[in-house]
Amino acid sequence: MDVRKGGKHRRRFRTGSPGGSPPGPARPGFWRSPLRGPWLTAVFGLVLLVGVPVMFVTGLLSYAAYNPDLARINDQTPDKGVLGFYLFSWPTSPHWIYRVTQGLHVTLGIVLVPVLLAKLWSVVPRLFSWPPLRSPAHALERLSLLLLVGGVLFQFATGILNIQLEYLFPGSFYTLHFYGAWVLMGAFAVHVALRLPEALRAVRGRRAASGPPAVGESAAALVTPRPAAPTMSRRGAVALVGAGSGTLLAVTVGQSIGGPFRRTAVLAPHGQEPGTGPNGFQINKTAASLGIRPSDTGPGWRLTVDGGGRRVVLTLDELRAMRQYESALPIACVEGWSTPDQLWRGVRLTDLAALVGLAADTPHVLVQSVQRGGSFAAAVLRDNQVRDGRTLLALRVNGAVLSADHGYPARTIVPGAPGVHNTKWVTRLGFGELS
Ligand code: HEM
Ligand SMILES: Nc1nc2c(c(=O)[nH]1)N[C@H]1C(S)=C(S)[C@@H](COP(=O)(O)O)O[C@H]1N2
Ligand SMILES: [Mo]
């Protein structure tokens, strides 16, 4: 191990342990599993080499899907500065795009947990390498490891707490998770640049029939000098981790497929039974939980349409008398669950814009709910979303009037958009408005 090489520095890094030998877990031979070694670490590392960038890209897509560059109320992470360079107009096709990108982000995030823990377990002796700081270069490498390990634990902890609806952390989830992602990816890039050649040699060397695997000094240091008797093989350990991931996949993915498969998602926080009948699909927040009173959505309810300096106010009967369209679209929540396509029926936003004289080139629209306060009471839809013929102010779903919890009397439904932009209990549309 490093002890002898570091010997001349030992006096400088005083530890207080008797005789100057490294303390507890930093002692050579403290970690005794014979499974640890370059091959095991490389196998888990290569899985994360693919998985972590997929998490990063799908996470950034999740952010882009809000159209945060359009309006301040769409932006859960203000002051992103240059870190918003990749933002683009979120498309409306394919209509299931957000189901896939966000379902992948959350499902993969859960499935990678055993791999991540196994990877950390496999390198834990290195976290105690002794002496802790040998040179400025070594100090820099240790700092990148701190950001890497801390960053990945932070991303997984905040993400998983978020989808379990446990907002324990201080501050906004979005801001923490967004900046955490950039810090992590910086450290990840440094780590991959330093370690990839070694990891590839370790897996190849193992496959080669003859000759010892050519591994670097730090990878060789993973091997314990004092091996305990093995309780399983290395391949057994990989299989165990794979089985753990497979089990998590089996009990999670149902929430992204939805419909009857929802029942298999035993870890899903919203429960497995969304009810029956036309409105029997997942509800995010009920009307009661948000303080929507029956009087807000009763006979006194009106839809106000503003735009181009004009205002039109409609009753529910007047909306029902307009031309109705159907579109089959899912609800795909940012927290990873989705429903299969539901058949919505209602009025096109372009037809409502035409009522105030905005027939051609319909602009973006501010959609407001009767809901007082709360983060999802309003959203701004971009012009490409407004102009898509499948975007509706829906009055019905699957042949029935919307239930109170699904947004009675009217909600927007937008192809490809995150669930949070499908505003429920809509009462006002402001064409050309941003706030
Ligand atoms: C390598 C680890 C991860 C990276 C790099 C990452 C990255 C990101 C990024 C950049 C965003 C967009 C943040 C924003 O909208 O401001 C995001 C969103 C999200 N992430 Fe992650 N993430 C990771 C792990 C996880 C895990 C393990 C989970 C849960 C299983 C998770 C759940 C979420 C959720 C629910 C959102 C949606 C937030 C929203 O837009 O409303 N993430 N992620
Ligand atoms: N007014 C209002 N609309 C809202 C929300 C809300 O909290 N208030 N939640 C949003 C979120 S996060 C999602 S995922 C969808 C869920 O729609 P559903 O409950 O009909 O499935 O509604 C969206 N519309
Ligand atoms: Mo959502």
Side-chain angles (χ1 to χ4, degrees):
M1 207 160 153
D2 309 316
V3 182
R4 225 170 322 135
K5 273 189 291 130
K8 67 177 155 68
H9 296 288
R10 215 179 286 146
R11 268 175 304 274
R12 269 195 248 154
F13 294 96
R14 288 198 60 87
T15 66
S17 49
S21 68
R27 223 165 46 231
F30 178 89
W31 303 96
R32 299 191 55 192
S33 172
L35 267 54
R36 285 201 185 88
W39 183 79
L40 194 68
T41 294
V43 168
F44 296 138
L46 292 176
V47 175
L48 294 174
L49 176 68
V50 177
V52 170
V54 172
M55 294 302 292
F56 186 57
V57 170
T58 52
L60 292 183
L61 288 176
S62 169
Y63 182 53
Y66 280 92
N67 283 322
D69 54 334
L70 175 63
R72 186 72 191 222
I73 62 165
N74 287 6
D75 195 351
Q76 307 287 323
T77 311
D79 304 321
K80 63 211 167 275
V82 292
L83 297 185
F85 71 90
Y86 60 89
L87 294 173
F88 55 97
S89 304
W90 187 251
T92 55
S93 288
H95 68 273
W96 38 259
I97 182 170
Y98 192 74
R99 269 192 92 183
V100 171
T101 59
Q102 192 60 0
L104 192 60
H105 188 75
V106 169
T107 308
L108 186 62
I110 292 170
V111 165
L112 283 179
V113 167
V115 183
L116 178 67
L117 294 178
K119 171 72 164 60
L120 291 177
W121 175 86
S122 80
V123 295
V124 75
R126 299 291 298 151
L127 296 184
F128 293 97
S129 87
W130 199 261
L133 304 172
R134 263 176 275 157
S135 63
H138 186 231
L140 264 183
E141 205 215 329
R142 304 279 299 177
L143 179 68
S144 83
L145 283 180
L146 186 75
L147 293 178
L148 180 73
V149 175
V152 81
L153 291 176
F154 181 83
Q155 287 306 97
F156 276 72
T158 51
I160 288 169
L161 284 172
N162 179 262
I163 57 169
Q164 292 300 322
L165 312 176
E166 301 285 354
Y167 305 100
L168 298 179
F169 27 83
S172 155
F173 163 78
Y174 307 95
T175 313
L176 294 171
H177 199 74
F178 178 84
Y179 289 110
W182 284 101
V183 171
L184 169 61
M185 286 315 292
F188 187 78
V190 170
H191 185 70
V192 170
L194 291 175
R195 295 285 187 247
L196 182 60
E198 221 168 284
L200 290 177
R201 259 180 281 137
V203 280
R204 285 208 202 102
R206 179 79 187 201
R207 277 200 215 110
S210 63
V215 295
E217 174 226 337
S218 68
L222 293 168
V223 179
T224 177
R226 207 161 66 97
T231 51
M232 69 170 82
S233 69
R234 289 208 171 99
R235 276 170 204 286
V238 171
L240 193 68
V241 170
S245 288
T247 306
L248 284 174
L249 177 67
V251 297
T252 305
V253 73
Q255 69 164 343
S256 298
I257 300 171
F261 293 96
R262 200 178 162 85
R263 242 168 280 142
T264 64
V266 295
L267 296 182
H270 286 272
Q272 283 89 57
E273 258 314 327
T276 54
N279 277 278
F281 56 97
Q282 194 58 48
I283 291 158
N284 191 10
K285 290 185 185 141
T286 62
S289 75
L290 293 172
I292 310 288
R293 304 186 209 110
S295 60
D296 295 331
T297 55
W301 177 88
R302 296 288 180 274
L303 177 74
T304 302
V305 183
D306 285 320
R310 295 172 51 187
R311 164 170 290 188
V312 171
V313 179
L314 299 162
T315 65
L316 184 53
D317 282 339
E318 286 168 332
L319 268 176
R320 286 175 175 154
M322 291 177 66
R323 179 152 181 203
Q324 308 288 304
Y325 293 85
E326 286 193 335
S327 46
L329 297 172
I331 298 278
C333 181
V334 297
E335 282 146 11
W337 61 266
S338 359
T339 72
D341 289 354
Q342 310 293 325
L343 190 61
W344 307 89
R345 188 177 166 82
V347 180
R348 279 190 178 160
L349 292 196
T350 44
D351 287 352
L352 291 163
L355 292 180
V356 290
L358 299 170
D361 303 332
T362 319
H364 60 264
V365 67
L366 171 70
V367 182
Q368 288 176 322
S369 164
V370 303
Q371 185 185 330
R372 287 158 294 267
S375 26
F376 308 142
V380 180
L381 302 176
R382 209 194 278 276
D383 54 8
N384 65 321
Q385 296 174 312
V386 175
R387 290 174 200 176
D388 191 303
R390 295 166 296 177
T391 300
L392 301 179
L393 183 69
L395 307 176
R396 301 174 72 86
V397 66
N398 301 324
V401 170
L402 290 178
S403 68
D405 290 336
H406 282 305
Y408 177 87
R411 78 169 312 160
T412 44
I413 185 83
V414 185
V420 43
H421 279 185
N422 295 321
T423 309
K424 304 197 272 192
W425 315 289
V426 171
T427 189
R428 183 173 172 275
L429 298 174
F431 286 97
E433 295 177 23
L434 289 173
S435 61

